[in-house]
Amino acid sequence: MARLVVVSNRVGVPDSGARAGGLEVSIRPALRKRGGVWFGWSGRVADGDPGPAKTVERDNVSYVTIGLRKDDYEEFYNGFANRVLWPILHYRLDLAEFTRRDLSGYFRVNEFFASNLEAVLKPDDVVWVHDYHLIPLAKTLRERGHKNKIGFFIHIPLPPPEMLTALPNHERLIPSLGHYDLVGFQTETDANNFSRYLANECGLKRVGEDSFTFDDRVVRIGVFPVGVETEAFARLARRAIESAFVREVLESLSGRAMIIGVDRLDYSKGIPERMNAFERFLTISPEWHGNVTYLQITPHSRTGIPEYTDLGRMVGEAVGRINGTFGAASWTPVRYINKAHSRTALAGLYRAARAALVTPLRDGMNLVAKEFVASQNPDDPGVLILSRFAGAARECTAALLVNPYDHEGVAIAINRGLSMSQDERRQRHAVNYKVLTENDLTHWAERFLGALEQTPGAASAAAPIRVVTGR
């Protein structure tokens, strides 16, 4: 079994004090099983030379991290990655702020990643690159002579060609994905959008159902929806609901039903729109006044970007307006918390909730939706109210699917979810839970890597492979 080299913007170094993110939970078992390297940015920013790479050895894995200079960080991360790619890939052309300086910084940092990665890369390594920060990395490695199997997985959406072409210099950036052997997406919609781009904008020839010729090579496209550790998370939730923290929260509700929302503070999550929908719910459903509390947990992110500061102020004002209009001395309709909570605490809160509001304007997957389903008591489950624009909606089809832009529709769904009979809740939960167990996270990494290792590098050897759906 070939050694695995994972490359991502940030590295989940063990014992760093940070909470394990979705990527870390997803790929660490595969790294430990195969042995390998996780390479990426350390999170350190230096005024001058960031110094040499640092390595931490743990459980058959080398965690190799590099620092960035301040100008690299500003142009690559704060600039092109988060102020151009992030909004455009989330269908928000109106929020993109393009500069050629930031684009140059983005390519420069990808070159810097490649030059440092070379020091640890072996000819037989299988390389797995993650997310929008590192789109051109394979091209950079190929130009340096590396012929490794290289796969790419994008965790966020990929919009249709009509939006991608609005990205200045898209013809320099997006076609560089053709240097990967396998490009993976969360949903068939994202994969089809990329296929259309390759066919219409690049004029590439299709080989089979999911492959294109690219120079003298083949790039393949697959669908690999990220899952959760379904049964393990269910066990965690059963324990967590008995914890002192969750008991204290439930006691403070005084028997009221709880709706939960858990999101980073990001405009893609649709939190202001969700607040408007909850406000509309309280307006049209006075019978729930004093009988339901909406708990929104929203840790702040990307505090150096003005749009996120403005978003935090907007959400805070909405919460104040709702509580001022509808609240009473004995009841606060919305509890808005900006502190991060542990995975265990969230599991317990999910299990205790009557409903979850997961209503992003656009999301690659959204694992909160899946964790909520996994955490529920199958005999008395809560209801998932889910945006149809989240990747999770392709699998959690028995959720109450809503349009997050339609405040009235979401308000009606909240009322329906809170009023739903136990029999219907059980039926909907059983359908969603079954799908999650079939696409458990424990199989995700090996499914992608298995497809990558079967991918031929030469066009003459190409043969169609089935698009992987996880079902």
Side-chain angles (χ1 to χ4, degrees):
M1 188 178 296
R3 191 178 73 150
L4 175 60
V5 176
V6 172
V7 189
S8 61
N9 178 54
R10 293 297 299 270
V11 177
V13 180
D15 304 326
S16 64
R19 179 190 167 203
L23 178 60
E24 184 174 355
V25 173
S26 303
I27 66 174
R28 186 170 282 169
L31 273 168
R32 288 174 175 169
K33 178 180 178 181
R34 289 168 166 257
V37 176
W38 191 349
F39 177 92
W41 178 40
S42 64
R44 292 181 291 108
V45 178
D47 289 328
D49 186 343
K54 295 184 178 180
T55 302
V56 173
E57 303 285 349
R58 194 68 51 84
D59 297 327
N60 203 30
V61 180
S62 299
Y63 298 86
V64 182
T65 58
I66 54 175
L68 291 178
R69 298 184 317 185
K70 186 175 181 180
D71 58 338
D72 288 337
Y73 169 78
E74 290 297 336
E75 295 170 17
F76 159 74
Y77 184 75
N78 272 351
F80 193 76
N82 285 325
R83 302 188 81 165
V84 180
L85 286 180
W86 180 267
I88 288 178
L89 296 181
H90 282 89
Y91 294 60
R92 292 300 302 271
L93 299 179
D94 57 310
L95 295 178
E97 299 181 21
F98 175 82
T99 68
R100 292 192 180 278
R101 182 198 65 179
D102 289 347
L103 177 65
S104 296
Y106 179 83
F107 280 105
R108 184 177 66 246
V109 169
N110 271 268
E111 290 277 358
F112 182 60
F113 266 61
S115 65
N116 281 271
L117 182 59
E118 281 190 311
V120 298
L121 194 60
K122 299 177 181 179
D124 294 333
D125 287 341
V126 171
V127 183
W128 191 4
V129 181
H130 288 265
D131 233 358
Y132 61 104
H133 310 85
L134 302 172
I135 289 172
L137 187 65
K139 182 176 186 291
T140 305
L141 291 171
R142 300 295 187 208
E143 290 171 346
R144 293 168 178 265
H146 295 283
K147 301 183 184 301
N148 303 65
K149 293 281 188 180
I150 310 179
F152 179 84
F153 186 81
I154 184 164
H155 293 258
I156 65 176
L158 192 90
E162 293 79 6
M163 285 192 172
L164 282 176
T165 53
L167 170 65
N169 294 100
H170 70 91
E171 65 279 1
R172 182 182 173 194
L173 178 64
I174 304 302
S176 66
L177 288 169
H179 291 273
Y180 291 95
D181 295 290
L182 175 66
V183 180
F185 298 91
Q186 297 275 23
T187 71
E188 291 187 12
T189 298
D190 300 324
N192 290 337
N193 286 340
F194 184 54
S195 293
R196 287 178 55 209
Y197 181 92
L198 293 181
N200 299 342
E201 295 298 323
C202 304
L204 298 189
K205 179 183 178 182
R206 190 183 291 270
V207 183
E209 183 180 352
D210 53 14
S211 306
F212 289 85
T213 56
F214 186 82
D215 295 332
D216 60 345
R217 305 179 60 260
V218 165
V219 56
R220 295 193 165 186
I221 300 168
V223 181
F224 306 85
V226 176
V228 296
E229 297 172 294
T230 308
E231 294 182 1
F233 201 85
R235 291 194 297 271
L236 177 65
R238 288 196 295 270
R239 295 194 304 270
I241 198 170
E242 301 298 333
S243 67
F245 167 75
V246 176
R247 286 202 305 269
E248 183 179 357
V249 172
L250 293 179
E251 288 172 3
S252 72
L253 294 174
S254 302
R256 298 183 181 93
M258 180 174 70
I259 302 171
I260 192 167
V262 178
D263 312 82
R264 286 188 306 106
L265 185 65
D266 190 283
Y267 48 76
S268 67
K269 302 300 182 182
I271 302 173
E273 291 80 3
R274 191 183 310 166
M275 290 295 171
N276 291 338
F278 185 71
E279 184 174 23
R280 182 60 183 158
F281 159 73
L282 292 177
T283 301
I284 66 175
S285 306
E287 69 273 18
W288 284 102
H289 290 188
N291 294 316
V292 64
T293 295
Y294 168 26
L295 172 62
Q296 177 65 48
I297 298 174
T298 304
H300 285 178
S301 66
R302 298 171 185 165
T303 53
I305 300 177
E307 289 85 352
Y308 290 82
T309 302
D310 294 342
L311 178 63
R313 182 171 59 251
M314 184 187 307
V315 175
E317 289 173 354
V319 171
R321 182 181 69 247
I322 294 168
N323 287 339
T325 302
F326 296 97
S330 59
W331 173 54
T332 302
V334 182
R335 296 184 183 181
Y336 179 50
I337 310 298
N338 295 133
K339 294 190 298 183
H341 288 65
S342 70
R343 194 163 180 257
T344 300
L346 291 176
L349 292 173
Y350 292 149
R351 192 173 179 91
R354 179 81 69 86
L357 277 174
V358 184
T359 56
L361 305 181
R362 187 69 59 172
D363 224 338
M365 179 50 63
N366 197 296
L367 296 182
V368 168
K370 293 187 173 184
E371 289 179 346
F372 177 80
V373 171
S375 70
Q376 294 307 296
N377 177 353
D379 295 326
D380 188 22
V383 176
L384 174 61
I385 301 169
L386 178 61
S387 167
R388 61 178 60 254
F389 304 129
R394 306 301 188 277
E395 295 169 88
C396 298
T397 56
L400 293 182
L401 299 180
V402 297
N403 175 357
Y405 295 95
D406 178 6
H407 304 156
E408 185 84 14
V410 177
I412 292 170
I414 294 172
N415 190 307
R416 182 182 175 190
L418 293 174
S419 307
M420 189 178 292
S421 70
Q422 188 177 67
D423 284 345
E424 184 178 355
R425 287 187 281 119
R426 285 175 176 173
Q427 291 169 7
R428 288 176 175 272
H429 173 263
V431 171
N432 287 335
Y433 191 87
K434 182 176 184 293
V435 173
L436 297 194
T437 57
E438 292 171 353
N439 185 34
D440 192 88
L441 180 63
T442 55
H443 310 304
W444 178 74
E446 291 301 335
R447 186 180 295 127
F448 182 96
L449 293 170
L452 173 59
E453 290 172 319
Q454 293 172 9
T455 303
S460 60
I465 61 170
R466 180 178 61 86
V467 171
V468 183
T469 64
R471 294 207 184 185

